[in-house]
Amino acid sequence: MSSNTEQQPSSDSTEQLPTDNDIIPQQQLTAEQLREIQKLLMGGTPISSENNANQSANLPLVGCESVECEMGSKNKQIHCPRCRSKICLADTAVLVESEMKMSRYKVDAPEHEIVTRFWLLNSLMAFENIGVSHLVENIKFLSCADCEVGPIGWHDITDKTRFYIAAQRVRYLE
Amino acid sequence: MSSHIGTFKILIIGDSGIGKSSLMMRFVDGMFDPEISATIGVDFKVKTLNVEGNNVKLAIWDTAGQEKFRTLTPSYYRGAHGVILVYDTSVRQTFANLDTWRQEIDTYITKQNAVRMLVGNKIDKTRDVQREEGERYARTHKMLFIESSAKTEEGVQDAFEELVTKIVQTPELWDASYQSDRVDLNRGGGAAGGACSYC
């Protein structure tokens, strides 16, 4: 598509007013698909057993201590620790050692802690669902895209190929 | 395994204080300590969804904090497939400012058939802009239209539903737009590559 701005639709034209069908698009998707979109986009009701949006409501999720977490190993499918939203698929990250001071992500945790083990992804688009915070110095913190619990990871904007998820702050598909 | 048909870049644009950020948020009731998330505001999200058997990734940009410069950087608009233009139905000035935002969109957007949606937000508050006015404006400028209250969550889901559905139904918009797999989070900078559809 050309970026020639002269070809933009004339916004003041009264000759080609859109019909109601243009304003209100015809819903060609099935109701189920729309529900799925809705749930995924808006976070939906991840705890509900009806949630088949990311099909994670009934999946057996375990903590970091229950999965193989050796440096250099690939990940199992990663989920939000609270709402179970799917964060990334299996084998999209590698466990690495790094160091980041992160504020607490749940009420009964210390206000800050030094986190040292992270799953490293090389692209933001490698995630299935992720939220990215405003800039704090050079760091953008990562959160769940659906319930926004966080920080569950971080990204230094001076290295655009490294996105870190704190291994102990997420859950895993067994 | 579903096939991946593309990544859609969606912008949320409008004056400060009209609830843009809350449009992209959804708190899970009863599970959430707002004090914790309040420490970091989220202004960008990646969401994956399945439409007609195809996986679609959405890169949703919230312009919060940027609009104080009044004009967003052109790179913000580059490659956007959908734009959600928001006003506050309880503050007429935010409706009056729509022309400015719309002109900015038309100036900088690189995909001319990007889907535009007008959202009148905060209908839970005392109304200063009638629904009919919003509808008329959207019709005149060929935008989808919806009213919402992020507070009561009314209409917020519908807004995204409609927008994504419309984008999916406009294949020429995304047909060849999924080659790149990179997001430049430093959007103020000039590092964005021309082929990158969501930076």
Side-chain angles (χ1 to χ4, degrees):
Chain A
M1 194 65 185
S2 165
S3 61
N4 183 351
T5 55
E6 291 174 5
Q7 289 180 353
Q8 68 196 17
S10 171
S11 52
D12 296 323
S13 168
T14 54
E15 294 170 358
Q16 292 182 312
L17 290 182
T19 66
D20 278 353
N21 285 340
D22 293 319
I23 297 294
I24 304 164
Q26 291 165 315
Q27 303 293 318
Q28 293 175 356
L29 303 180
T30 66
E32 188 182 357
Q33 286 166 335
L34 284 172
R35 270 199 304 278
E36 195 166 325
I37 292 172
Q38 170 182 323
K39 284 174 183 168
L40 279 160
L41 274 173
M42 306 315 304
T45 50
I47 294 306
S48 161
S49 60
E50 291 178 3
N51 173 35
N52 58 8
N54 52 28
Q55 297 183 332
S56 58
N58 295 316
L59 294 178
L61 300 184
V62 296
C64 175
E65 66 285 351
S66 302
V67 298
E68 185 190 1
C69 284
E70 290 189 6
M71 289 302 143
S73 66
K74 293 271 192 166
N75 66 304
K76 290 179 179 292
Q77 185 164 297
I78 294 177
H79 292 259
C80 170
R82 192 176 62 197
C83 79
R84 307 171 72 100
S85 169
K86 190 193 297 176
I87 293 171
C88 63
L89 300 174
D91 299 329
T92 53
V94 175
L95 194 67
V96 298
E97 211 158 330
S98 186
E99 201 168 282
M100 176 57 69
K101 184 180 181 185
M102 296 173 74
S103 61
R104 63 177 184 170
Y105 73 109
K106 56 182 180 180
V107 181
D108 57 359
E111 194 168 340
H112 290 94
E113 62 177 343
I114 303 293
V115 182
T116 57
R117 296 201 304 166
F118 296 93
W119 295 105
L120 174 64
L121 287 83
N122 60 17
S123 162
L124 201 49
M125 302 317 293
F127 290 91
E128 294 297 291
N129 298 284
I130 196 75
V132 183
S133 79
H134 301 292
L135 201 55
V136 183
E137 292 173 354
N138 276 339
I139 303 298
K140 280 175 173 274
F141 288 99
L142 307 181
S143 77
C144 171
D146 287 326
C147 73
E148 296 192 351
V149 69
I152 55 172
W154 58 280
H155 165 67
D156 184 333
I157 60 162
T158 61
D159 187 346
K160 299 182 189 309
T161 63
R162 299 174 83 82
F163 296 83
Y164 296 88
I165 291 289
Q168 68 197 60
R169 293 191 172 196
V170 291
R171 294 176 72 78
Y172 303 87
L173 180 60
E174 251 186 322
Chain B
M1 192 70 182
S2 300
S3 62
H4 180 67
I5 64 170
T7 300
F8 299 156
K9 176 178 177 178
I10 294 174
L11 307 179
I12 304 178
I13 287 170
D15 285 1
S16 297
I18 56 177
K20 292 193 301 297
S21 297
S22 58
L23 275 182
M24 70 181 283
M25 293 182 184
R26 167 64 180 255
F27 299 115
V28 180
D29 292 337
M31 305 181 55
F32 193 54
D33 179 357
E35 277 186 24
I36 293 177
S37 86
T39 58
I40 53 164
V42 173
D43 65 353
F44 176 83
K45 282 184 180 178
V46 173
K47 296 260 200 175
T48 300
L49 57 120
N50 192 280
V51 180
E52 295 173 333
N54 297 301
N55 275 337
V56 172
K57 275 190 188 180
L58 299 184
I60 306 170
W61 295 89
D62 173 18
T63 61
Q66 303 283 313
E67 70 271 16
K68 63 187 173 189
F69 303 111
R70 202 65 188 92
T71 297
L72 303 171
T73 58
S75 65
Y76 220 91
Y77 290 92
R78 188 179 304 136
H81 301 82
V83 180
I84 298 176
L85 178 54
V86 189
Y87 67 97
D88 183 339
T89 54
S90 70
V91 181
R92 175 155 292 278
Q93 187 58 44
T94 65
F95 186 73
N97 289 343
L98 288 179
D99 277 340
T100 308
W101 287 114
R102 195 174 42 76
Q103 284 159 11
E104 183 175 306
I105 294 168
D106 288 343
T107 300
Y108 292 119
I109 202 125
T110 55
K111 294 177 182 296
Q112 292 304 318
N113 53 355
V115 178
R116 284 110 161 136
M117 167 172 268
L118 182 64
V119 174
N121 193 31
K122 297 197 183 178
I123 52 174
D124 53 295
K125 297 177 76 175
T126 307
R127 191 180 276 278
D128 197 22
V129 181
Q130 297 307 311
R131 179 184 177 90
E132 294 70 32
E133 296 176 86
E135 282 177 341
R136 199 179 311 128
Y137 190 93
R139 190 179 301 257
T140 302
H141 300 294
K142 299 173 183 171
M143 308 168 85
L144 305 173
F145 176 70
I146 205 159
E147 286 193 330
S148 68
S149 164
K151 193 176 174 188
T152 65
E153 294 172 7
E154 184 181 353
V156 175
Q157 298 176 351
D158 301 336
F160 278 93
E161 264 179 34
E162 286 202 19
L163 186 72
V164 173
T165 303
K166 186 73 176 176
I167 292 172
V168 170
Q169 291 172 351
T170 313
E172 62 271 26
L173 194 53
W174 44 263
D175 203 16
S177 63
Y178 54 94
Q179 314 90 332
S180 178
D181 189 36
R182 190 172 67 83
V183 169
D184 185 359
L185 285 172
N186 188 11
R187 56 192 169 207
C196 178
S197 62
Y198 31 83
C199 39

